[in-house]
Each structure stands twice: as structure tokens, then as C-alpha cells.
Amino acid sequence: MSTTCFFSLSILLFFWLFTCMALVVILRKHRASSTEPASFSHSEVLVGLASAKYREARDASRRLSKVADALNIGLIELKDDRINEINQSAVELLPKDMRSDRHLIGLSASLQENSPRILELGQTAVQLSKLPISGSQYLVLVQDVTESFLMARKFKQHERLALLGQMTAQMAHQIKTPLAILAGQAQMLARHL
């Protein structure tokens, strides 16, 4: 009886495996026919999704560049010791000799993250700020701060003049007080003589 039972179980197991394999084949054919055309492979679908995401990222980058241009903010993207992208405002704000890869990489290396630096370029002043994006990729913001820079310079000059006025008033007071005492004593002495 054990041999008959073993044989029956073996046949049942064989039919069960055969049915499972047939179901898997049928499901695969059904999925392939219902979700994607037969000519597409999984790698082609992944490539299509990746290229769609790449186009989406490029469009977002272009929109950001347009907004920055509208606000007159220069954007320079540095990647692996070279300029990857530069918008029109950055081109207009920086002199031609400063737009080279070598010069910008050296300038970027001298910038500290989140610590802006102001450069005087003849009649204008620009502020450069370095922002890390990822790994060896940085974004350098270029802003025209000429008006603010000139106002700060005038404010410092007015501050110095006010300080000079205070020092002059104190010195006049320090000199005037002893002279007034001497003048008073000289008048008293002149009355007695």
C-alpha cells in the first residue's frame, strides 16, 4: 500500500507542477499582451522612463534659468572642475576674462559655502555665493550689489565723519574748560591789581 500511495502522490505532484507552470506561462502572455506591445522589452520601457525624467529635469532647469534671468541673478553650475551651465545674467554680470573654466574654478575654490564674497569690478560690485548641489557639483550665484555696496560705503563715510565730529567736540570741551577757568582767574586777578 505504501508503494501505491507513493506512486499516487508522485502523479498528483507532477500534475500540480504542470498546472502551475501552465498558469505562469498563461499569466506572462496575458500581462505582455495587455500592458505593453509585444515589441517593447523591459529595458526599452526603463530607457523611455529615464529619458522622460531627463527631459523633465532639463525643462525645470531652463525654467529656473529664465526666472533667475528675470530677477537679474547669475547662475553658474560647476561640475567636475568645469562650467556645466551658465545663464545670461551671469554672462552679463561677469567680465569676459572671469568666465573661463580655470578662473571660475579657482574663484569657486576660494569661496566658502554660505559665505558670500564681494568683488569690485570697475564701476560695479558683484556678490558671489557658493552653494553645494551634490558631490563635486556646485552652484555659484552672481548678484549685482553695486547700489548696496555704494550705500554701505557712504554709510561708513558718514559714520567716520560723525565720529570725527564727536572727537572734535570732546577735544574742544577738554580745551575750553581749562581755558575758561584760566580766563576767570585772570579777570579776578586783574580786579585785584
Side-chain angles (χ1 to χ4, degrees):
M1 179 146 154
S2 66
T3 312
T4 311
C5 193
F6 178 75
F7 181 73
S8 299
L9 282 175
S10 298
I11 290 177
L12 283 174
L13 183 63
F14 174 75
F15 282 125
W16 181 77
L17 284 173
F18 182 74
T19 306
C20 287
M21 287 189 334
L23 283 174
V24 167
V25 169
I26 291 170
L27 281 174
R28 282 191 178 180
K29 283 184 180 181
H30 178 68
R31 280 186 187 166
S33 66
S34 66
T35 60
E36 61 187 42
S39 63
F40 276 133
S41 68
H42 293 291
S43 62
E44 289 173 334
V45 171
L46 290 176
V47 168
L49 287 173
S51 65
K53 287 296 181 184
Y54 176 76
R55 282 191 303 273
E56 187 178 309
R58 292 300 296 168
D59 290 343
S61 176
R62 285 187 187 113
R63 284 192 305 271
L64 174 64
S65 183
K66 285 180 182 178
V67 168
D69 282 337
L71 295 173
N72 200 27
I73 298 173
L75 295 175
I76 303 169
E77 182 186 349
L78 301 171
K79 184 177 182 181
D80 299 325
D81 294 335
R82 65 178 182 83
I83 297 174
N84 197 26
E85 291 279 331
I86 184 168
N87 72 341
Q88 186 61 36
S89 291
V91 170
E92 292 170 0
L93 289 171
L94 292 175
K96 190 173 185 174
D97 62 327
M98 286 185 70
R99 286 183 246 145
S100 68
D101 283 348
R102 185 181 56 82
H103 194 275
L104 279 173
I105 297 300
L107 191 60
S108 173
S110 70
L111 291 173
Q112 298 295 320
E113 291 177 17
N114 301 321
S115 179
R117 182 173 167 192
I118 296 177
L119 297 175
E120 288 184 68
L121 306 170
Q123 299 295 326
T124 62
V126 294
Q127 177 179 319
L128 302 173
S129 303
K130 180 180 179 181
L131 304 170
I133 296 176
S134 65
S136 64
Q137 196 170 4
Y138 292 96
L139 188 66
V140 177
L141 298 176
V142 183
Q143 294 175 299
D144 185 4
V145 292
T146 305
E147 191 174 316
S148 302
F149 188 70
L150 292 175
M151 286 176 57
R153 190 180 271 173
K154 284 181 184 178
F155 179 73
K156 283 183 182 180
Q157 186 178 11
H158 288 295
E159 220 174 41
R160 278 190 231 127
L161 287 174
L163 185 60
L164 184 63
Q166 282 179 343
M167 286 176 47
T168 305
Q170 285 178 351
M171 286 178 63
H173 177 73
Q174 294 295 328
I175 292 172
K176 186 178 175 184
T177 303
L179 286 177
I181 293 171
L182 287 173
Q185 287 183 356
Q187 284 178 354
M188 286 177 40
L189 193 60
R191 283 187 201 157
H192 288 296
L193 293 176

